[in-house]
Amino acid sequence: MKKYHFAILFAIGLTASSCTTAEIPLEEDPDPITQTVTYVGDVKAIIDNNCTTCHGTVNPNAGLSLVTYQQVRNSAENGNLIPRMNNATSPMPPSGILPAATRAIIDKWRQDGFLEN
Ligand code: HEC
């Protein structure tokens, strides 16, 4: 828990001090994810809670819908989903970069091959 707070402070400090579009590294994550990450089991809830108000089905922002597995996978695999979620100066969601532990789940999903189930 203590290290987790450090990660957030680190993220805030980086946001405040950086003028570039640097990505925040995930190395400070205190709890490496050991289990396999899947869209249905882990990723969908993160996207539903943080993204689909703007990236829904009707008139999505930036023309980007993140409602189905294929849409989220396509943006993560071929688009800007992962860089933007880790972008300190222009994060998605725009209200503020998500905790490192949450972003680490998306990164592990990529490592595991963008599994659906
Ligand atoms: C409050 C509304 C809002 C929320 C919530 C939001 N976005 Fe966005 N998103 C935007 C807007 C507006 C743009 C276009 C402007 C820009 O790129 O900054 C955008 C752009 C993007 C882009 C770039 C699209 C491109 O063509 O390159 C990606 C990727 C993205 N969002 C992913 C996400 C993800 C993933 C989440 C959740 C973790 C999220 N967004 C949450 C409003 C939002």
Side-chain angles (χ1 to χ4, degrees):
M1 209 49 197
K2 218 169 158 189
K3 282 184 182 168
Y4 182 71
H5 284 144
F6 169 77
I8 291 175
L9 288 175
F10 177 78
I12 291 169
L14 197 66
T15 306
S17 64
S18 173
C19 297
T20 65
T21 55
E23 288 184 25
I24 296 178
L26 296 169
E27 283 82 61
E28 78 272 24
D29 186 350
D31 301 311
I33 302 163
T34 50
Q35 80 276 18
T36 301
V37 168
T38 67
Y39 172 75
V40 170
D42 311 274
V43 172
K44 186 176 188 303
I46 295 170
I47 302 297
D48 285 352
N49 288 332
N50 298 289
C51 316
T52 50
T53 47
C54 299
H55 298 285
T57 308
V58 180
N59 287 331
N61 284 200
L64 177 67
S65 284
L66 296 173
V67 176
T68 68
Y69 165 70
Q70 281 302 336
Q71 288 166 343
V72 176
R73 176 177 180 156
N74 184 52
S75 185
E77 195 172 14
N78 309 311
N80 295 324
L81 187 146
I82 291 174
R84 288 300 298 271
M85 284 187 74
N86 292 291
N87 189 315
T89 50
S90 188
M92 283 293 143
S95 55
I97 196 158
L98 295 175
T102 304
R103 290 178 288 118
I105 293 170
I106 305 292
D107 204 55
K108 182 68 163 48
W109 186 47
R110 166 170 56 185
Q111 285 172 37
D112 289 341
F114 303 109
L115 298 171
E116 182 170 15
N117 293 291

